[in-house]
Amino acid sequence: MDKMQNLLALISSLLQALVNVLKGDDRWFLVIDEEIIDQENLANLHKQLKQSQDQALRRDDFNRRYESQCFVSSDRLTISEIWMTLNPISLFNFLRYALSDVV
């Protein structure tokens, strides 16, 4: 029975404190320490930089593996593939697009 009375008293005091806060009877001030905020911002910035570096390393690793797998081919080039790449029209189109930035 004593525990129940203590619980009711606690709930009553909490509700009273809440009412006082809502009425504005109690004055609360928020003190912000700029050094702590700067430290948190620096830690977040460091974490973001580390994540971007990890992501860049993963992307580079993926690109290296992809290139190494793509260049390995056991098939021989056919005459038609060679002609499609090296015919004068294809060379002209390649040079036109490649040199478009220069002109």
Side-chain angles (χ1 to χ4, degrees):
M1 192 60 137
D2 188 39
K3 291 182 182 181
M4 188 62 103
Q5 288 176 347
N6 288 341
L7 182 62
L8 287 175
L10 178 65
I11 291 174
S12 174
S13 67
L14 288 175
L15 287 175
Q16 186 63 36
L18 180 63
V19 168
N20 287 340
V21 168
L22 293 176
K23 284 193 317 187
D25 290 344
D26 291 339
R27 302 285 185 236
W28 292 91
F29 296 98
L30 178 62
V31 178
I32 300 174
D33 189 3
E34 292 183 13
E35 290 181 20
I36 292 175
I37 292 175
D38 289 341
Q39 289 174 354
E40 289 175 357
N41 289 342
L42 186 62
N44 288 337
L45 189 63
H46 181 68
K47 184 191 292 184
Q48 289 174 353
L49 180 63
K50 179 75 172 149
Q51 288 174 349
S52 66
Q53 287 175 342
D54 290 344
Q55 191 175 28
L57 287 174
R58 275 189 250 116
R59 189 173 39 238
D60 288 344
D61 186 46
F62 174 79
N63 289 340
R64 280 193 202 98
R65 271 190 271 117
Y66 178 77
E67 287 178 4
S68 68
Q69 290 171 356
C70 284
F71 291 127
V72 175
S73 175
S74 60
D75 298 337
R76 294 180 180 222
L77 286 175
T78 63
I79 298 295
S80 64
E81 289 174 330
I82 294 171
W83 176 249
M84 285 179 6
T85 305
L86 296 177
N87 72 55
I89 295 171
S90 294
L91 287 174
F92 175 74
N93 286 334
F94 169 75
L95 290 174
R96 184 175 58 145
Y97 288 117
L99 297 176
S100 65
D101 293 338
V102 176
V103 177

